[in-house]
Amino acid sequence: MQKPALPKGTRDFAPEVMARRNFILDHIRDTFEKFGFQALETPAVERLDVLTGKYGEEGDQLIFKILDSGDYLAGLSPSDFQDYKKLSPKIAEKALRYDLTVPFARFVTMHRSGLAFPFKRYQIQPVWRGDRPQKGRYREFYQCDADVVGTDSLLCEAEIILMINEVLDKLGLRNFTLKINNRKILSGLAEFVGHPDQVGPMCVAIDKLDKIGPEKVLEELAERGFGESACEKIRPLLALDGTYESKMAFLDEIFTHSETGRQGQAEIRQMLALGQAYTQARDFIQDYHLDFDLTLARGLTYYTGAIFEVKALGVSIGSISGGGRYDNLTGAFGMPGVSGVGFSFGVDRLYDVMEELQLFPAETALSTQVLFSNFGEAEQAFSLPLVRQFRQAGINTEIYPEAAKLKKQMQYAHQKNIPFVVLVGETELAQEKLMLKDMRTGAQLLLSAQEAQARVRAAEMG
RNA sequence: GCGGUUGUAGCUCAGUAGGUUAGAGCACCAGAUUGUGGUUCUGGGGGUCGCCGGUUCGAGCCCGGUCAUCCGCCCCA
């Protein structure tokens, strides 16, 4: 006999877990739809050539490839076996999707003539990465993306701020920071320190400020070829710990000669002004948990404008959402010049954070409200129409499918956390009434079907 | 890809210096209670001590290898 086991980095979602995951997903879906986003699903399997080359060399290594069916060795020559990187596209035509963004770009390109632009879609599906699993890190995990393509209006950025706040508020997660920045500001900084071509390496180093501290960041910059004068120019930036206004004032000073940097500032200002106009908030930045963070870089190279990242405070896991604007999403598929902005919730991490903070309401686990017990043939025949009647009244109802010992049936109800049990035995049958037992208090009442339904509904309300 | 941790019952773990028949709690099953769960009491089932080899009269324990696991680093959600 073989011992069953899961592949590394994958998980089962048991019913209790699913109830909680759905609690999160329902709120995310509701919010996305409320803002006019439409659902999209794409296949788990994509053609390998659609995925490769989009995530950098390291990313390509992490793509799960699917071995061709049949005799995949046919037509190969010994030289093909010299380099495994060159072999894989010859024996694997397909692969599991690595994220939702690239399949989305493929979709937009393929359907461009039929779509209404600006096109707003959301997509909630699993993705796969051949990564080494760790805490908060899986090989199969869900992403919840929402993107708008075909407009560069900053209204989209403002709405992303609103959506993130709405979802987290509904989930009861109040202690978080929504970090914002703009890639153009980072480009401006790179210009300012005299390394306009080194935005990428600069960001990778700056991004680690939280983790390793300012001195180590400067060391890393030096290693990456930034000279002493450049480092000295960055130093005051790493020490900045002021308000939005003071950071902006600092940038006003250093960006006198950087058109790009000033553009980034203008975008941030306009995004905030639109959010303010939307919400009429007394203090938009504070009320919507915003933090203008000049060190926020988000490693991804394809962001060109706004960037976002959400950190849950007071927990070990941290980052639960992120996104930004990109200018050339579909370029790789021959459709240049399409600007888009999007973001993503990490459901699995959101789940872990909510569990750590005990934010799940108790009733998410609840499903069946009433269990009809089963005493035997005559009682069952009497019960079946009533079960149907309960269901038609909108009450989640089930009947125990066989006349097992009552103890066993009660245990079943208890284990499934069913709040009410209906007992129909000889005496109830004779009176055409139901014994309704409240499993929490243990109290039971002899009632008509109508009265029993009313009681169940009343309990549901309060 | 690199560094470390831990593998004993379904789960969490104990296991003395290398010594008889490997334990506990929880979970599970049955009974106390043939119309009542959650509490209580009584009884019961359940183990190739990750795997392979070595040392030894004797290995859960020591040694070598191997596989798995979790945690860091890199990178990411």
Side-chain angles (χ1 to χ4, degrees):
Chain A
M1 198 182 74
Q2 66 176 13
K3 211 176 181 178
L6 285 172
K8 189 190 292 196
T10 66
R11 300 150 296 159
D12 289 323
F13 299 123
E16 315 84 69
V17 179
M18 277 311 296
R20 296 173 156 206
R21 285 177 68 85
N22 283 335
F23 175 77
I24 295 174
L25 291 173
D26 288 347
H27 283 310
I28 291 175
R29 227 185 320 261
D30 285 352
T31 302
F32 285 169
E33 288 179 0
K34 196 185 292 179
F35 278 76
F37 289 76
Q38 294 176 296
L40 173 73
E41 291 208 359
T42 62
V45 178
E46 291 277 350
R47 287 173 47 120
L48 180 58
D49 57 359
V50 165
L51 303 183
T52 43
K54 312 296 189 300
Y55 308 110
E57 199 183 329
E58 284 203 27
D60 284 356
Q61 296 304 308
L62 300 179
I63 295 172
F64 272 109
K65 293 154 192 86
I66 298 172
L67 200 56
D68 288 342
S69 309
D71 183 5
Y72 51 83
L73 292 178
L76 291 178
S77 63
S79 65
D80 290 326
F81 291 86
Q82 297 305 308
D83 184 350
Y84 76 98
K85 289 179 190 173
K86 287 184 180 140
L87 178 63
S88 47
K90 293 183 178 168
I91 60 173
E93 182 183 56
K94 304 171 289 300
L96 293 173
R97 79 167 94 76
Y98 180 88
D99 70 358
L100 300 178
T101 309
V102 167
F104 174 53
R106 176 194 54 69
F107 175 86
V108 169
T109 308
M110 287 174 67
H111 296 85
R112 64 183 110 178
S113 58
L115 296 176
F117 287 97
F119 179 55
K120 302 167 84 169
R121 83 87 171 78
Y122 74 89
Q123 191 169 354
I124 301 177
Q125 288 189 278
V127 303
W128 293 268
R129 293 185 189 178
D131 214 350
R132 184 172 220 119
Q134 271 175 44
K135 187 176 188 176
R137 226 168 137 176
Y138 309 99
R139 284 183 148 179
E140 178 186 64
F141 62 96
Y142 275 70
Q143 289 191 330
C144 306
D145 280 25
D147 291 81
V148 187
V149 293
T151 174
D152 50 18
S153 166
L154 292 164
L155 210 48
C156 303
E157 275 85 338
E159 289 192 343
I160 286 174
I161 294 173
L162 300 190
M163 284 192 283
I164 289 173
N165 271 277
E166 181 166 326
V167 169
L168 296 182
D169 185 62
K170 279 181 185 163
L171 294 179
L173 189 67
R174 306 280 148 72
N175 198 13
F176 67 90
T177 301
L178 202 177
K179 294 187 175 193
I180 54 169
N181 196 6
N182 194 296
R183 268 312 276 268
K184 292 182 179 119
I185 287 175
L186 294 169
S187 297
L189 288 171
E191 281 177 31
F192 168 67
V193 300
H195 290 78
D197 304 331
Q198 302 285 303
V199 193
M202 184 187 80
C203 288
V204 171
I206 287 184
D207 199 31
K208 294 181 185 168
L209 180 64
D210 275 354
K211 257 188 186 172
I212 61 178
E215 290 309 315
K216 293 269 180 191
V217 169
L218 291 172
E219 272 176 40
E220 188 156 337
L221 283 167
E223 278 170 31
R224 287 168 189 269
F226 287 78
E228 199 159 317
S229 68
C231 288
E232 283 317 304
K233 283 178 164 176
I234 290 176
R235 187 184 290 278
L237 178 78
L238 300 179
L240 266 186
D241 188 25
T243 58
Y244 165 74
E245 286 78 13
S246 69
K247 286 172 187 169
M248 274 298 187
F250 172 79
L251 294 178
D252 283 338
E253 265 176 51
I254 66 170
F255 281 167
T256 47
H257 299 294
S258 170
E259 175 63 31
T260 312
R262 284 202 304 276
Q263 173 76 23
Q265 281 183 283
E267 288 182 10
I268 292 269
R269 287 197 175 102
Q270 200 187 337
M271 176 175 85
L272 294 175
L274 288 166
Q276 167 63 39
Y278 241 125
T279 60
Q280 303 291 313
R282 188 174 31 82
D283 182 346
F284 184 61
I285 291 180
Q286 195 187 320
D287 293 354
Y288 285 75
H289 303 91
L290 299 176
D291 174 26
F292 180 36
D293 183 352
L294 293 171
T295 68
L296 174 64
R298 292 193 58 80
L300 289 167
T301 48
Y302 55 75
Y303 289 129
T304 52
I307 40 187
F308 308 97
E309 183 163 299
V310 180
K311 291 223 150 126
L313 303 176
V315 287
S316 51
I317 294 173
S319 176
I320 50 175
S321 176
R325 178 170 286 279
Y326 38 81
D327 277 345
N328 202 17
L329 177 71
T330 51
F333 300 114
M335 184 182 172
V338 177
S339 181
V341 59
F343 74 109
S344 177
F345 281 110
V347 207
D348 304 274
R349 288 187 173 179
L350 213 41
Y351 184 98
D352 291 344
V353 167
M354 289 193 53
E355 186 145 80
E356 195 169 332
L357 297 175
Q358 300 186 319
L359 291 176
F360 285 112
E363 61 267 27
T364 54
L366 213 111
S367 143
T368 301
Q369 293 164 279
V370 178
L371 173 77
F372 273 69
S373 59
N374 192 330
F375 280 69
E377 254 178 74
E379 292 89 344
Q380 178 179 304
F382 174 75
S383 297
L384 291 181
L386 292 173
V387 171
R388 183 171 140 91
Q389 192 183 314
F390 270 63
R391 288 174 180 159
Q392 281 170 339
I395 298 167
N396 296 352
T397 308
E398 60 179 308
I399 178 165
Y400 201 85
E402 49 192 82
K405 279 191 206 170
L406 194 53
K407 179 179 173 121
K408 192 165 182 191
Q409 301 189 35
M410 298 298 290
Q411 228 157 21
Y412 175 81
H414 176 73
Q415 224 172 347
K416 274 189 82 172
N417 203 12
I418 299 173
F420 292 100
V421 171
V422 166
L423 297 152
V424 183
E426 229 176 309
T427 48
E428 290 82 5
L429 191 55
Q431 304 174 61
E432 299 200 349
K433 292 223 166 177
L434 313 176
M435 187 66 85
L436 182 72
K437 170 156 179 146
D438 183 329
M439 292 295 277
R440 271 188 265 275
T441 63
Q444 45 191 53
L445 291 165
L446 191 64
L447 301 168
S448 74
Q450 296 301 329
E451 291 166 338
Q453 285 170 25
R455 282 211 164 250
V456 170
R457 263 196 300 255
E460 193 185 347
M461 301 301 174

